[in-house]
Amino acid sequence: MSSEEKKVDIFRDTPVRYLGYANEVGESFRALIHVNWVRFSYVIASSYVCADATSKGLEMSQREWPDAKTKRSKVTYAVTDTVIWQGLASVAIPGFTINRICFLSNLLLQKTTALPTITRKWTVTAIGLAAIPFIIKPIDHSVDWLMDNSLRKWSGTSMTAKDHSK
């Protein structure tokens, strides 16, 4: 592979990335499905986070380092940074956001319409699903900013989550 070719990151550059959004889909369907299915959607999203962090750690461990201590430090940082970034940007913040959008949409529809319950629930689900594409980039950028101004600043490293694959 030439230096001009970009290495494909299976967790960021392929449809596997959508597994990170499983919990948002689960939250959108919360009004229509058993809560255990919503919880299962979090298991899927969290598994995606763990797989990505493991991948980034393995990638760092395969590089040449001057000594074992440096290698351990770099691998630990890559895994920690990825788990925190993905945990916030793919699971915690979007899950909470979609949950609140659906909750408030349901409340608003209950108070302002006479929709039958099943219609209201499907409407809330549609609103939740429709909101997902609009929340992703702002959340990603906010988490980048947060991490760049906290953990990454304290560790002396400033990188976005995508930089782990470089």
Side-chain angles (χ1 to χ4, degrees):
M1 179 165 79
S2 73
S3 61
E4 293 176 11
E5 290 180 46
K6 184 179 177 190
K7 182 182 173 202
V8 174
D9 182 341
I10 190 171
F11 295 100
R12 310 267 167 86
D13 303 324
T14 70
V16 170
R17 175 68 184 112
Y18 296 118
L19 293 174
Y21 304 127
N23 62 309
E24 287 96 308
V25 174
E27 286 294 346
S28 295
F29 278 93
R30 183 181 283 271
L32 293 168
I33 61 177
H34 192 277
V35 70
N36 285 340
W37 287 109
V38 178
R39 292 177 183 140
F40 183 65
S41 73
Y42 276 87
V43 169
I44 293 169
S46 297
S47 296
Y48 163 82
V49 170
C50 291
D52 188 23
T54 300
S55 171
K56 299 307 177 279
L58 288 171
E59 193 174 299
M60 285 298 230
S61 74
Q62 293 170 351
R63 292 185 182 179
E64 293 293 322
W65 299 106
D67 55 54
K69 183 178 178 185
T70 302
K71 179 179 181 176
R72 188 171 35 256
S73 173
K74 296 292 187 179
V75 170
T76 300
Y77 178 79
V79 170
T80 303
D81 187 82
T82 303
V83 165
I84 293 170
W85 192 92
Q86 288 283 15
L88 290 171
S90 295
V91 181
I93 297 171
F96 176 78
T97 303
I98 295 298
N99 178 284
R100 295 296 83 192
I101 288 170
C102 290
F103 174 80
L104 293 171
S105 297
N106 186 47
L107 193 64
L108 184 64
L109 289 172
Q110 278 180 327
K111 292 186 181 291
T112 62
T113 69
L115 291 174
T117 301
I118 193 67
T119 305
R120 189 178 77 258
K121 287 180 177 185
W122 275 106
T123 303
V124 167
T125 297
I127 291 168
L129 291 171
I132 294 171
F134 296 102
I135 68 168
I136 292 168
K137 291 294 182 190
I139 290 172
D140 286 356
H141 293 304
S142 297
V143 173
D144 277 333
W145 182 89
L146 175 68
M147 301 245 341
D148 285 344
N149 289 286
S150 60
L151 178 69
R152 293 173 182 158
K153 184 180 271 188
W154 300 325
S155 70
T157 308
S158 181
M159 60 171 51
T160 62
K162 289 182 179 182
D163 291 334
H164 285 304
S165 62
K166 292 181 181 174

